[in-house]
Every structure is written in structure tokens, then in C-alpha cells.
Amino acid sequence: MGIAATLALLVAAGTARASFAATYVVNTTTDAPAGASECRGAPGDCSLRQALDSAVSGDVVQIPASAEPYVIAHEKIPVRGGVTIAGAGDGATTISGGEADQAFLLEGAGPVAISGLTITETFNDSGLDEGGAITVPGVETPLTLEDVTISDSTSGAPKGFGGAIETFSDLTVMHSRFVSDSVSEAAVAGEGGGGAIDLGTSGHTLRVSDSVFIGDTTEDAPGGAILIEAKDSVSISSSTFIRNSAGGGYQGGAIESYPHTAGTISNSTLTANAAGTGGAINVEGGSLLTLRGDTIAGNAAEVGANIGAKAIAEVTLENTIIATPPAGVANCSRKVTTHGHNLEDASPSSCGLLGASADLIGVSPQLLTLGINSSSDETAGGPPATLALSPSSPAIGAGSAAGCEALGSVDERGFPRPGIEGGGCDIGAYEILPAVPTSTTLSASGGPGQVTARATVASLRGLPAAVPAAGGIVEIREGEVSLGSAPIGAGGQATVTLTGLAAGEHTLTAAYPGDAVHASSSSTSTSVTVLVPPAPDPEAGPPAPVLSRVTETHRVFAVGRRLATLARRRRRARRPPVGTGFAFTLNTPAAVTLSFASVRAGRLVKGRCVAVRRNSRRGRPCRRLLGSGSLTFANAHAGANVVTFQGWTSRRHRLAAGRYAVTIVAVNAAGRSQPKVLTFSVGRG
């Protein structure tokens, strides 16, 4: 990401370069030293250090995906101005300093771009004023990071500045993540700062967008995540700051702004940060800072739990939530300037909010738990965690229309403002979006013994690109009977092949149950004719098994005492239901296996459903299936079958309370059927 399309020509090192750019592909994870024969095309001759030694302004260094990290085993690697460093994605390309070495020292004039990689466990032990991972000492080397994670990096004593980055030039950070970066205790208290980023003096600009800062710290210095030094400027948008802290009683748990700085923080969430003064943000004298469309809540400090500001600093609030300080501590250390449509939960307002400016004072914003709220951002910086509003929050519809337009008419996630069509914008970084209405259409074509059903789910409201498309499954039904389902793919389409249907006309509908963003919908009925399949060859053996008309009697039931049985007829269920019945029709005798798996929430990352971890929060929501046992009936007959199931997969194993999926497969000498999946829940009764 971030590499210009014009950089397409690969020129071997050592040839005449003229005005052409070259691309160097790193081909070893070891930190081989620079030398005369580097990057000539031999196996293992182009380490990261060697590639950057060869690259000059305009060149690209590509770092392929690797299961092993690219190691920096010596001192930091020099990077010339004008060079682009491109990994294969922050989850695929990792550079490690082994907790002993820094990563990069940017030298010379010209912009440097770094994208698509993770830098971890780097350490500045040089004794110099440098960053833990990246240092930019010159003023003519603007740096851009995109889709980059920097984690567990430290700038050490005697002067620790920028646990991840210290720069004396402009810095742009997009779709990136800083996790557990730190500045260790300085030899002189306050000589250091910026647990993740330090923007050195003076006259430089820091631009941060769609990024996340989690658990960045300073031991004895200001700016738990970011330190903006004097006469610099800052623009932070659509970013989240969580659990960052400035130690030793210093200022700015997430952000510390030194005197005479200026800038904006917009569409951002700051929560659970801590400091001595200004639990989330501290602004020193002579600075100008505008907060617009932010949610600043649940931060902690001895003075100014959420915002600290010196007397001659000008802090302006618009469409912003300031809330939930610790008991006995004011939200703001002093009154700031209101441009209206803010919300503070304390009364009287410690921040100086005014009812005459349409501010809400002394009311709770009714924030929900911090969480991933349906963003589709799959870069290192996303999806961001946000503090959602409860449906009854007074912040809903109470924002300034002009303020929302200044935010691009989207919230931190990129969801539309206003979320309610025809309504007003919400105060804070999160916009309520009611379930988006959908339409489902169905087309079907019949053939010998089968039907191909194609369903399309479309949104009935235009939405920004950051809002995920309709996801989940579409189910094909005949009356109340489910015949099969398929996941929604590209273009909102799902295709289901139905087999085992009797010859003749069938009337089908497609049902979409909805997802976290989209409402449910069903198609109109569609008629389709199933043709008579060709007569089987008597010498070909039994036909392959086909499962059809797969249903269950109870989607929620209590575990009983009996083991599962197979019969031709359904048994009457007790009320309240104990157990359930799985009914299916077979075209031929076969052995039938029912496999039970518990359903857990997860994220779809690189095609795999994985658990949500601190550094692995990207991807679409999905279900993780954890094995919970199986049942096999060797004597299932052609025609209708019913498995009476009371929650026991063996005499010693029963299903615990929770949500499950059961996969039903039939097997005989001619092959196996297409699996059919049903979901159900085991209650606690």
C-alpha cells in the first residue's frame, strides 16, 4: 500500500540507473551486513539492511510475507530520503529488534514512506535523544506510515523521546496501530516523553488518521501516547486512544501539547487513559486546540480527569462528549470555550458548557462498553474500538449539523451522519445507525433432480464505503421448510444448489435474517419445475445419498436424560421442550453422522476465523466452530427419518448450555451427501 503505480520497473543493482527507479526485494530474514555483492540476484544476498544500503531516492524496498520475523541484530539501519519501504501487510511482514536494537534512522532530504508491516521489540539504548523504533533527526525528511503496527518498542534513558518514533520533520500516520510502546524512566525527571510518538520542536506537523494507540506509556514524562513539542501543529482524526498513561504525575495520559502548538482532534475516542493532569489530553499555555465530534470519557487524573488546560491555552469544544471522571475529580481542569452541542455529565459544568449554546449539562451520555462496532476497516488501524451510544442516549440527534458537515458527514468508523435519515447528528465520535433496510430477490432454474437458486441482497440506503455490505447467509425455503442456505458473497449474491426434490413444480422463497448493520428481508415467491432425473443404471450400484427437507423441531431446548434415537416418525415434544428432533429425508439408505460444534464469536482474518486478540482485531465478524462430539446412525433408511436428540452425544458426554451448529452428512458406498447445517441453543433448564 502507498507505493506509486509508476514504480514498476525492476532494475538490477550495479547497472546503469540513469533516471529510473529500482525495486529491491528482500530475500532473507537474517541481518546480513552491507557489502559489494549485495542484492545481485543470488539466494539470500539481499537482507533488509543490504536492500536499504543499495536503495536511493525514488527506489522501493519490498519485504515479502514471512512466517519468521526479519531480524535487526546490529545497530539501526540507515534509510536514505526518498525511499519507499513496502511490506506485505502488518500481519504478514514483521521486523524485530529483538528487544536490543532500533529499526530505522532516516537520513538525507526527501520523503520516506513505510507501509504494510509490523515493527516490534525495538529498543533505543544509544543514550541519545532518539525513538525506540524510528528516528528522523533532520527537518527535510517527512515520513508517512500506512498500515503499520509498531508494538513493544522502547526509548531508554537518559533521555527517552518517542517509544516508537521521534521525528524532527513532518509525520503522517494513516491506518496504523501503536501498542505497548514506552519511554522508560529518564535520568532527569521530565527529560523525555511521548510513549509512542514525539514530534520534536519546532514548526512541524503531525497528521494522524484512522489509527489506534493502546497501552503506550511513559515512566516519568508527559504524553503517554503522543508528545507535541512547542510550535508544532497536529491533526488527529478518526482515531482511538485506550489505556495510555503518563507516569510520575506528568501530563497528558494520551496526548500532551506543549506551549504554542495548534491543531484539531476530531471524530476520535479517548478512554481509560491516565496522567497526573489531563487524563486524556493536556494543553499547555499559548496553544490553540479544537475538539470536534469526539468522545472523551472514563479517563483519570488528579487534575482534569479528561482534559487539562493551562490558563492561557484556548481549547474549543463542539459536538463532543466529556464524561465519567473518577469520583471527586472534575472533567476539565478549567473552563474551555464552547461552540455548542456538547455534552458533559457533571453539573455545574467544569468545562464551561452553556445551555444557551445547546450544550447538554448534567446528563449521562449512556455510553455502552468499548467494542468493535461493525467497521469494515481491515488495515492495522482498524477496525477501531468505539464507545457506542445506547438507543435512549440524549446525545442522539443533539449535534450541530454544521459540525457534522465539518467531519465529512461520517463518524469515527466512517458510518454516515446523520445515522437516522431525516434526523439530526449525534454528539460524540459514534453515530447511531438503525438497521439498514434491505431487499432480497430470488431467481431459480430447475434441472433433472435439482434446482439452482440465486438470491441477491441489496441495501435500500446509500452508505459510505466504510460500512460493511450485507453479510451472513441466505436461506431457501419451501413454505416453512428450509431446503438449504449459502453465505452471501460478492455483489450480495448467494447461490444454493438444491437436490433430492421431487419432480414437479416447487414454490420457493429466499429469506435473509439480517446482520449487525442490515435488517432482514424476504423475497417474493418463485416457481420452478424439477425435471425427472434419468433412470439409474442397475449395474451402477446405489445412488449417492442426498439429504433434503432438513429441519429441527426446537431451536432452543433443555438437555434431557435419554440418548439419541432414530425413528420414522416424530415424537411429540414435551412442553417446555426437552431435546429436539432433527428431521431429514434420504433418497437411499445410508449411514448418517451428526457432528455438533459450539459456536463462538470471532473475526475472519486471511480466510480463517480466529479469536479476537489485542493485536489481531481486523476482519469481518464470523463464527468459530469448536468440536463438541458426534453421533452416527448406520441404518438410516430411504425416506423420512427423525433423530430424537436430548443433548447427549454419548453416555458420558452432554452438551453444555450455549449455541451450537450441527452438520448432518450421509455416506454410503456411492459417496457422501452435501453437508446440511442447522443451528440451535441448549438452554440452562
Side-chain angles (χ1 to χ4, degrees):
M1 292 172 35
I3 302 174
T6 54
L7 298 177
L9 181 62
L10 175 62
V11 180
T15 60
R17 299 173 55 86
S19 60
F20 296 105
T23 297
Y24 296 91
V25 180
V26 178
N27 62 12
T28 177
T29 60
T30 61
D31 190 9
S37 61
E38 64 193 20
C39 301
R40 296 293 183 90
D45 75 334
C46 198
S47 68
L48 177 58
R49 187 178 299 274
Q50 290 168 330
L52 288 169
D53 179 64
S54 298
V56 297
S57 181
D59 290 346
V60 176
V61 171
Q62 291 184 351
I63 314 175
S66 172
E68 298 296 325
Y70 293 84
V71 176
I72 298 175
H74 308 295
E75 61 182 13
K76 52 190 172 286
I77 302 175
V79 180
R80 296 183 177 92
V83 170
T84 294
I85 302 172
D90 81 302
T93 301
T94 297
I95 297 170
S96 174
E99 299 183 338
D101 293 289
Q102 297 161 267
F104 302 128
L105 174 66
L106 276 54
E107 300 178 326
V112 171
I114 302 175
S115 65
L117 53 81
T118 289
I119 302 173
T120 189
E121 295 183 345
T122 55
F123 182 67
N124 168 30
D125 62 350
S126 66
L128 302 176
D129 181 358
E130 295 182 347
I134 300 173
T135 301
V136 188
V139 299
E140 298 179 347
T141 314
L143 171 62
T144 297
L145 301 184
E146 184 172 5
D147 192 21
V148 170
T149 292
I150 303 182
S151 65
D152 299 297
S153 294
T154 300
S155 183
K159 292 184 178 182
F161 282 92
I165 300 171
E166 186 189 32
T167 178
F168 288 85
S169 189
D170 292 347
L171 174 61
T172 300
V173 176
M174 300 180 291
H175 300 284
S176 293
R177 185 175 294 258
F178 297 80
V179 181
S180 299
D181 301 310
S182 63
V183 167
S184 60
E185 186 175 0
V188 178
E191 285 292 327
I197 295 173
D198 172 47
L199 185 66
T201 57
S202 65
H204 310 303
T205 299
L206 171 65
R207 300 177 182 88
V208 177
S209 62
D210 302 287
S211 295
V212 177
F213 296 77
I214 304 176
D216 301 312
T217 61
T218 63
E219 286 192 31
D220 201 16
I226 296 176
L227 173 61
I228 306 158
E229 298 200 37
K231 299 182 180 179
D232 289 327
S233 64
V234 61
S235 172
I236 297 174
S237 63
S238 300
S239 296
T240 292
F241 295 78
I242 311 167
R243 297 190 305 277
N244 305 287
S245 64
Y250 278 85
Q251 307 90 345
I255 301 166
E256 163 71 359
S257 172
Y258 273 4
H260 307 293
T261 61
T264 61
I265 301 175
S266 60
N267 256 352
S268 294
T269 299
L270 297 92
T271 186
N273 304 287
T277 300
I281 301 167
N282 188 70
V283 183
E284 302 291 344
S287 295
L288 303 174
L289 183 65
T290 297
L291 308 179
R292 179 181 292 118
D294 300 312
T295 297
I296 306 175
N299 302 286
E302 295 177 6
V303 178
N306 286 303
I307 298 176
K310 288 292 179 67
I312 57 173
E314 183 176 341
V315 179
T316 301
L317 304 182
E318 182 180 19
N319 283 16
T320 289
I321 292 173
I322 308 291
T324 59
V329 182
N331 279 306
C332 297
S333 66
R334 57 176 290 271
K335 293 183 178 181
V336 297
T337 301
T338 176
H339 280 190
H341 300 271
N342 302 291
L343 184 154
E344 183 183 357
D345 57 359
S347 180
S349 169
S350 65
C351 300
L353 303 190
L354 302 170
S357 299
D359 292 328
L360 302 179
I361 304 168
V363 295
S364 169
Q366 299 182 28
L367 300 173
L368 302 183
T369 303
L370 185 74
I372 306 300
N373 292 303
S374 302
S375 169
S376 63
D377 184 358
E378 297 184 5
T379 64
T386 50
L387 291 166
L389 300 172
S390 93
S392 59
S393 169
I396 297 173
S400 158
C404 287
E405 290 176 5
L407 297 168
S409 298
V410 294
D411 72 357
E412 178 177 349
R413 303 165 297 163
F415 280 38
R417 290 186 189 266
I420 300 173
E421 291 183 292
C425 294
D426 302 342
I427 300 174
Y430 179 93
E431 185 82 14
I432 285 275
L433 178 64
V436 175
T438 62
S439 67
T440 299
T441 57
L442 175 66
S443 64
S445 58
Q450 70 175 30
V451 167
T452 300
R454 296 182 176 86
T456 302
V457 179
S459 169
L460 295 180
R461 178 180 178 183
L463 297 169
V467 181
I473 65 167
V474 174
E475 186 178 46
I476 306 301
R477 297 175 179 172
E478 185 171 17
E480 296 299 319
V481 178
S482 174
L483 302 180
S485 63
I488 298 173
Q493 294 187 340
T495 300
V496 184
T497 300
L498 306 173
T499 57
L501 298 179
E505 187 175 57
H506 294 262
T507 301
L508 308 179
T509 58
Y512 172 57
D515 62 14
V517 174
H518 300 85
S520 62
S521 59
S522 296
S523 72
T524 57
S525 299
T526 297
S527 296
V528 63
T529 300
V530 177
L531 304 178
V532 177
D537 182 355
E539 298 181 359
V546 175
L547 283 167
S548 61
R549 300 183 181 273
V550 180
T551 61
E552 58 185 310
T553 59
H554 297 95
R555 292 189 178 232
V556 179
F557 62 87
V559 173
R561 297 179 179 274
R562 298 180 180 178
L563 295 178
T565 60
L566 176 71
R568 290 177 177 270
R569 297 182 179 180
R570 301 177 188 265
R571 294 183 178 180
R572 284 190 176 183
R574 294 166 55 189
R575 294 178 180 272
V578 174
T580 188
F582 300 114
F584 55 88
T585 299
L586 269 173
N587 65 326
T588 182
V592 174
T593 297
L594 291 78
S595 300
F596 299 90
S598 62
V599 178
R600 297 288 187 268
R603 310 294 299 179
L604 190 65
V605 177
K606 301 185 182 302
R608 296 177 58 247
C609 191
V610 301
V612 178
R613 298 187 179 92
R614 182 181 67 181
N615 295 333
S616 179
R617 296 189 173 185
R618 301 186 298 146
R620 300 190 306 275
C622 62
R623 299 183 307 175
R624 300 172 60 220
L625 300 181
L626 307 177
S628 301
S630 63
L631 298 168
T632 298
F633 299 95
N635 58 342
H637 59 270
N641 293 263
V642 175
V643 174
T644 300
F645 179 69
Q646 292 195 356
W648 293 84
T649 57
S650 71
R651 292 188 182 276
R652 295 185 178 182
H653 185 198
R654 57 175 281 179
L655 303 183
R659 185 163 175 78
Y660 291 85
V662 57
T663 302
I664 306 176
V665 177
V667 181
N668 67 5
R672 59 185 283 140
S673 68
Q674 180 180 1
K676 303 292 184 181
V677 180
L678 300 172
T679 59
F680 63 88
S681 294
V682 175
R684 299 183 182 276

